[in-house]
Amino acid sequence: MTNDRDQRPTQKTIAKLAGLAVTTVSRALAGDPKIARSTRDHVAKVAASVGYMPDRAAQRLRTGKTKLISLILDPHPEILGFGNSLIVGVTAALRDTGYHLNITPHFTDNNAAEPVHHIVRNRLADGVIFSRTEPFDDRVQFLMENDFPFTCHGRTEFSAPHASVDFDNVAFARLAVERLASKGARSICMILPQPHLTFSNHLRYGAQQAASATGVDVLFPDDISLDDTPAKIEHWAREFRSIRPDIDGFVCAGEASCLSISAGYAGQSLPHFVVKDTSPFMAQINPSADRIFEDIELAGRTLGERLLTQLEGGNLPEPVLFQPKVSWED
């Protein structure tokens, strides 16, 4: 014969321990803003103490919702801690909402649309978040056609409005080249992401704008990209320094490429660097490099908030474009 302790705790269990009605417990666990925050916190504490886990299958049958958000992550190396910072930000946005985060990995050698199709067709989540957008991204088109809530980190060129959060890479590249030119650099190199990605076009355009305004030369090598491994970029830099000894400045769109290029130039006089800074490590590793900050955690939180707005029936959020923050003073 079993007793209550042997059984899986339910909302009725929590209601009894918390001294509340089952309906109140249910709404509190769902993050209903009409339930006082103190009550929601109390219910959450009791639920945690008894090891309560919602029956998602029953919840899905009852409401048609999974209460899951899927964050699709690519293991690209150009930004240190990108995935972790994005997860922290999205998780902060989902706190006390009743939604939970599910991580869906995607590897860049596979079709980027496959994970999205799988999630939507099998209703594995209520909404999705993804990054590394393309100008006419198949994922965005598919999600819009299926009226499935999403936000993307990065912009597209679709005329139809959709929720996006992005960093102004045009401004980043322009500021970086202008900074190097002001320090006397005349021949500047910038390794770009793969050309099919939207932010690759933005980086190129911003750098070309500044090059035209300042009279410097900017080189975009076509035999290396930010998607290459740090070891490959280091090897490339070791050969490049002999081929192009005139290069006296690098714009790095992530810390990893900056560290790899620096390693490739080991034993040689280092060019000037301007690097996109997304973690606290760059200032310690290469304090002489000028840095431009991109807040990935804030981007993650904003992505989560914009998706929640859609899931709660609000108007489609306007695109968000975060501006660069420089580490130097003119």
Side-chain angles (χ1 to χ4, degrees):
M1 186 173 181
T2 61
N3 57 37
D4 287 345
R5 292 183 179 180
D6 299 319
Q7 298 172 357
R8 180 177 177 177
T10 65
Q11 292 185 4
K12 187 175 180 180
T13 309
I14 299 169
K16 183 177 180 181
L17 293 171
L20 297 167
V22 175
T23 53
T24 302
V25 168
S26 177
R27 292 169 62 192
L29 291 172
D32 188 339
K34 294 181 181 179
I35 302 297
R37 177 62 181 267
S38 59
T39 301
R40 282 183 281 156
D41 290 344
H42 177 54
V43 169
K45 185 175 181 180
V46 173
S49 71
V50 298
Y52 170 77
M53 293 292 292
D55 186 337
R56 298 204 180 280
Q59 185 180 61
R60 180 175 175 178
L61 286 172
R62 185 175 66 255
T63 66
K65 293 184 177 296
T66 64
K67 302 299 286 187
L68 289 174
I69 302 298
S70 187
L71 172 62
I72 301 172
L73 279 180
D74 303 78
H76 54 90
E78 78 259 19
I79 296 178
L80 298 179
F82 175 85
N84 182 68
S85 297
L86 210 60
I87 290 168
V88 170
V90 175
T91 302
L94 301 184
R95 183 181 178 184
D96 298 329
T97 66
Y99 283 93
H100 297 269
L101 185 63
N102 178 57
I103 307 300
T104 301
H106 170 255
F107 298 94
T108 53
D109 56 349
N110 292 331
N111 182 356
E114 285 181 4
V116 172
H117 289 184
H118 182 67
I119 290 166
V120 173
R121 287 170 178 163
N122 294 283
R123 291 290 163 174
L124 300 179
D126 296 331
V128 295
I129 298 171
F130 55 91
S131 62
R132 293 171 66 81
T133 56
E134 300 180 18
F136 296 99
D137 200 295
D138 290 341
R139 298 167 296 180
V140 171
Q141 182 172 350
F142 176 79
L143 290 164
M144 289 192 297
E145 288 175 350
N146 284 272
D147 196 25
F148 195 87
F150 73 95
T151 52
C152 54
H153 186 235
R155 286 166 285 167
T156 72
E157 294 180 12
F158 286 114
S159 58
H162 60 83
S164 67
V165 175
D166 201 7
F167 176 75
D168 193 340
N169 281 293
V170 173
F172 161 78
R174 185 175 63 247
L175 287 167
V177 171
E178 289 173 350
R179 177 63 174 178
L180 290 171
S182 74
K183 297 179 80 169
R186 308 311 300 166
S187 296
I188 297 167
C189 181
M190 184 177 190
I191 299 177
L192 293 173
Q194 291 286 343
H196 65 276
L197 298 172
T198 305
F199 83 112
S200 180
N201 299 332
H202 292 166
L203 289 168
R204 181 187 292 270
Y205 180 62
Q208 289 173 333
Q209 275 187 330
S212 177
T214 60
V216 302
D217 293 324
V218 178
L219 169 69
F220 306 103
D222 57 12
D223 56 343
I224 196 75
S225 86
L226 291 180
D227 284 327
D228 286 314
T229 65
K232 184 174 180 179
I233 294 175
E234 178 184 345
H235 178 74
W236 171 87
R238 195 175 297 117
E239 294 185 341
F240 181 74
R241 71 188 193 190
S242 300
I243 298 170
R244 289 295 303 267
D246 59 311
I247 294 295
D248 51 7
F250 275 95
V251 176
C252 298
E255 299 103 329
S257 60
C258 181
L259 296 175
S260 297
I261 294 167
S262 298
Y265 273 75
Q268 302 289 319
S269 177
L270 280 176
H272 296 297
F273 284 91
V274 176
V275 58
K276 184 188 289 185
D277 184 21
T278 62
S279 71
F281 305 117
M282 200 64 221
Q284 298 173 319
I285 296 171
N286 190 351
S288 64
D290 289 315
R291 303 179 309 281
I292 299 178
F293 182 60
E294 178 181 2
D295 194 333
I296 303 297
E297 186 175 327
L298 175 60
R301 189 162 66 250
T302 308
L303 285 161
E305 291 168 350
R306 294 303 190 271
L307 184 54
L308 286 171
T309 297
Q310 298 174 69
L311 293 172
E312 293 167 359
N315 293 329
L316 184 67
E318 293 290 327
V320 177
L321 185 63
F322 289 115
Q323 294 302 308
K325 297 179 181 178
V326 302
S327 65
W328 63 82
E329 295 182 3
D330 293 327

